[in-house]
Short mmCIF file of all heavy atoms in Angstrom, two decimals:
data_model
loop_
_atom_site.label_atom_id
_atom_site.label_comp_id
_atom_site.label_asym_id
_atom_site.label_seq_id
_atom_site.Cartn_x
_atom_site.Cartn_y
_atom_site.Cartn_z
N LYS A 74 59.02 83.55 122.57
CA LYS A 74 59.19 83.83 121.14
C LYS A 74 60.65 83.89 120.72
O LYS A 74 61.54 84.22 121.53
CB LYS A 74 58.47 85.12 120.75
CG LYS A 74 59.06 86.39 121.33
CD LYS A 74 58.36 87.62 120.79
CE LYS A 74 58.89 88.05 119.45
NZ LYS A 74 60.25 88.62 119.47
N PRO A 76 63.42 85.68 117.92
CA PRO A 76 63.53 87.04 117.38
C PRO A 76 62.80 87.18 116.06
O PRO A 76 62.65 86.20 115.32
CB PRO A 76 65.04 87.21 117.18
CG PRO A 76 65.60 85.83 117.17
CD PRO A 76 64.69 84.97 117.99
N LEU A 77 62.36 88.40 115.78
CA LEU A 77 61.66 88.68 114.53
C LEU A 77 62.47 89.66 113.72
O LEU A 77 62.94 90.67 114.27
CB LEU A 77 60.28 89.28 114.82
CG LEU A 77 59.38 88.51 115.78
CD1 LEU A 77 58.07 89.25 115.99
CD2 LEU A 77 59.11 87.10 115.26
N GLY A 78 62.62 89.39 112.44
CA GLY A 78 63.33 90.33 111.57
C GLY A 78 62.34 91.29 110.94
O GLY A 78 61.16 91.01 110.83
N THR A 79 62.85 92.46 110.55
CA THR A 79 62.02 93.40 109.79
C THR A 79 62.62 93.49 108.41
O THR A 79 63.56 94.26 108.18
CB THR A 79 62.02 94.79 110.47
OG1 THR A 79 61.65 94.62 111.83
CG2 THR A 79 61.04 95.73 109.80
N ASN A 89 58.30 93.12 116.27
CA ASN A 89 58.69 92.86 117.64
C ASN A 89 58.27 93.97 118.58
O ASN A 89 57.66 93.75 119.63
CB ASN A 89 60.22 92.73 117.61
CG ASN A 89 60.71 92.06 118.81
OD1 ASN A 89 60.18 91.04 119.19
ND2 ASN A 89 61.68 92.65 119.43
N ARG A 93 55.29 94.09 121.64
CA ARG A 93 55.50 94.62 122.99
C ARG A 93 54.49 95.70 123.30
O ARG A 93 53.97 95.79 124.42
CB ARG A 93 56.90 95.25 123.10
CG ARG A 93 58.01 94.25 123.06
CD ARG A 93 59.34 94.99 123.07
NE ARG A 93 60.42 94.07 122.78
CZ ARG A 93 61.64 94.43 122.42
NH1 ARG A 93 61.94 95.70 122.28
NH2 ARG A 93 62.57 93.53 122.20
N LEU A 250 75.63 88.14 123.10
CA LEU A 250 74.17 88.11 122.97
C LEU A 250 73.59 86.71 123.07
O LEU A 250 72.42 86.53 123.40
CB LEU A 250 73.76 88.76 121.64
CG LEU A 250 73.79 90.28 121.62
CD1 LEU A 250 73.65 90.81 120.19
CD2 LEU A 250 72.68 90.85 122.49
N GLY A 251 74.40 85.71 122.79
CA GLY A 251 73.92 84.33 122.89
C GLY A 251 73.52 83.94 124.31
O GLY A 251 72.86 82.92 124.52
N GLU A 266 61.74 86.44 125.55
CA GLU A 266 62.53 86.34 124.31
C GLU A 266 63.98 86.68 124.60
O GLU A 266 64.30 87.33 125.61
CB GLU A 266 61.99 87.31 123.26
CG GLU A 266 62.08 88.76 123.73
CD GLU A 266 61.64 89.77 122.69
OE1 GLU A 266 61.55 89.41 121.52
OE2 GLU A 266 61.42 90.92 123.09
N ALA A 267 64.87 86.23 123.70
CA ALA A 267 66.28 86.60 123.81
C ALA A 267 66.43 88.09 123.55
O ALA A 267 65.59 88.72 122.89
CB ALA A 267 67.08 85.82 122.78
N VAL A 268 67.53 88.67 124.05
CA VAL A 268 67.83 90.07 123.71
C VAL A 268 68.26 90.15 122.24
O VAL A 268 67.98 91.12 121.54
CB VAL A 268 68.97 90.60 124.64
CG1 VAL A 268 69.50 91.94 124.14
CG2 VAL A 268 68.47 90.70 126.08
N HIS A 269 68.87 89.06 121.74
CA HIS A 269 69.43 89.13 120.39
C HIS A 269 68.35 89.10 119.30
O HIS A 269 67.19 88.80 119.54
CB HIS A 269 70.45 88.01 120.15
CG HIS A 269 69.91 86.61 120.15
ND1 HIS A 269 69.15 86.10 119.14
CD2 HIS A 269 70.06 85.60 121.05
CE1 HIS A 269 68.85 84.84 119.40
NE2 HIS A 269 69.38 84.51 120.56
N GLY A 270 68.80 89.43 118.08
CA GLY A 270 67.92 89.41 116.92
C GLY A 270 68.01 88.11 116.16
O GLY A 270 68.48 87.09 116.69
N SER A 271 67.60 88.14 114.89
CA SER A 271 67.45 86.91 114.13
C SER A 271 68.76 86.39 113.53
O SER A 271 68.78 85.34 112.88
CB SER A 271 66.42 87.13 113.01
OG SER A 271 66.83 88.22 112.21
N ALA A 272 69.86 87.11 113.75
CA ALA A 272 71.21 86.72 113.31
C ALA A 272 71.15 85.93 112.00
O ALA A 272 71.56 84.76 111.94
CB ALA A 272 71.92 85.92 114.41
N PRO A 273 70.67 86.54 110.91
CA PRO A 273 70.37 85.78 109.69
C PRO A 273 71.55 84.99 109.14
O PRO A 273 71.36 83.93 108.54
CB PRO A 273 69.89 86.85 108.70
CG PRO A 273 70.04 88.16 109.37
CD PRO A 273 70.33 87.97 110.81
N LYS A 274 72.79 85.46 109.38
CA LYS A 274 73.91 84.74 108.76
C LYS A 274 74.09 83.34 109.35
O LYS A 274 74.72 82.49 108.74
CB LYS A 274 75.20 85.55 108.87
CG LYS A 274 75.77 85.72 110.26
CD LYS A 274 77.07 86.54 110.21
CE LYS A 274 77.58 86.82 111.62
NZ LYS A 274 78.75 87.66 111.65
N TYR A 275 73.52 83.09 110.54
CA TYR A 275 73.65 81.76 111.15
C TYR A 275 72.39 80.91 110.98
O TYR A 275 72.35 79.77 111.45
CB TYR A 275 73.96 81.90 112.65
CG TYR A 275 75.29 82.56 112.94
CD1 TYR A 275 75.36 83.69 113.74
CD2 TYR A 275 76.47 82.04 112.42
CE1 TYR A 275 76.58 84.30 114.01
CE2 TYR A 275 77.69 82.65 112.68
CZ TYR A 275 77.74 83.78 113.47
OH TYR A 275 78.95 84.38 113.74
N ILE A 281 73.88 77.94 116.28
CA ILE A 281 73.65 79.12 117.14
C ILE A 281 73.50 78.72 118.61
O ILE A 281 73.09 77.61 118.92
CB ILE A 281 72.39 79.87 116.64
CG1 ILE A 281 72.37 81.31 117.13
CG2 ILE A 281 71.11 79.17 117.05
CD1 ILE A 281 73.31 82.20 116.37
N ASN A 282 73.87 79.63 119.48
CA ASN A 282 73.75 79.39 120.92
C ASN A 282 72.29 79.61 121.36
O ASN A 282 71.79 80.73 121.26
CB ASN A 282 74.69 80.36 121.65
CG ASN A 282 74.72 80.12 123.14
OD1 ASN A 282 73.93 79.34 123.67
ND2 ASN A 282 75.61 80.81 123.82
N ASP A 323 79.99 80.35 119.53
CA ASP A 323 80.28 81.70 120.03
C ASP A 323 81.20 81.64 121.25
O ASP A 323 81.84 82.63 121.58
CB ASP A 323 79.00 82.47 120.35
CG ASP A 323 78.06 81.70 121.26
OD1 ASP A 323 78.02 80.47 121.17
OD2 ASP A 323 77.37 82.35 122.07
N TYR A 327 83.69 80.16 116.13
CA TYR A 327 82.90 79.46 115.12
C TYR A 327 83.73 78.62 114.15
O TYR A 327 83.27 77.65 113.60
CB TYR A 327 82.03 80.45 114.34
CG TYR A 327 80.77 80.81 115.07
CD1 TYR A 327 80.55 82.07 115.59
CD2 TYR A 327 79.76 79.86 115.25
CE1 TYR A 327 79.39 82.39 116.27
CE2 TYR A 327 78.60 80.16 115.92
CZ TYR A 327 78.42 81.43 116.43
OH TYR A 327 77.27 81.73 117.10
P1 NAP B 1 71.45 90.13 116.00
O1 NAP B 1 70.53 89.29 115.21
O2 NAP B 1 71.26 90.17 117.47
O3 NAP B 1 72.93 89.62 115.69
C1 NAP B 1 74.09 90.39 115.97
C2 NAP B 1 75.26 89.49 116.32
O4 NAP B 1 75.11 89.01 117.66
C3 NAP B 1 75.39 88.21 115.49
O5 NAP B 1 75.98 88.45 114.25
C4 NAP B 1 76.25 87.37 116.43
O6 NAP B 1 77.57 87.93 116.54
C5 NAP B 1 75.62 87.69 117.77
N1 NAP B 1 74.52 86.78 118.12
C6 NAP B 1 73.19 87.04 118.06
N2 NAP B 1 72.50 86.00 118.52
C7 NAP B 1 73.39 85.08 118.90
C8 NAP B 1 73.27 83.77 119.47
N3 NAP B 1 72.09 83.21 119.74
N4 NAP B 1 74.42 83.08 119.71
C9 NAP B 1 75.59 83.63 119.45
N5 NAP B 1 75.78 84.86 118.93
C10 NAP B 1 74.69 85.57 118.65
O7 NAP B 1 71.43 91.65 115.50
P2 NAP B 1 71.28 92.26 114.03
O8 NAP B 1 72.11 91.50 113.07
O9 NAP B 1 71.52 93.70 114.22
O10 NAP B 1 69.73 92.09 113.67
C11 NAP B 1 69.21 91.07 112.79
C12 NAP B 1 67.70 91.21 112.69
O11 NAP B 1 67.12 90.95 113.97
C13 NAP B 1 67.21 92.61 112.28
O12 NAP B 1 66.14 92.46 111.36
C14 NAP B 1 66.70 93.22 113.58
O13 NAP B 1 65.66 94.14 113.35
C15 NAP B 1 66.19 91.97 114.30
N6 NAP B 1 66.15 92.10 115.77
C16 NAP B 1 65.11 91.50 116.40
C17 NAP B 1 65.05 91.50 117.78
C18 NAP B 1 63.90 90.80 118.44
O14 NAP B 1 63.04 90.23 117.78
N7 NAP B 1 63.82 90.83 119.76
C19 NAP B 1 66.07 92.09 118.53
C20 NAP B 1 67.15 92.69 117.86
C21 NAP B 1 67.18 92.68 116.46
P3 NAP B 1 78.83 87.48 115.68
O15 NAP B 1 78.60 88.04 114.31
O16 NAP B 1 79.98 88.16 116.39
O17 NAP B 1 78.94 86.00 115.70
#
Side-chain angles (χ1 to χ4, degrees):
K74 68 175 277 290
L77 307 179
T79 307
N89 198 47
R93 291 175 190 164
L250 282 168
E266 61 176 344
V268 169
H269 66 72
S271 56
K274 68 180 175 184
Y275 296 124
I281 200 76
N282 184 351
D323 52 328
Y327 278 111

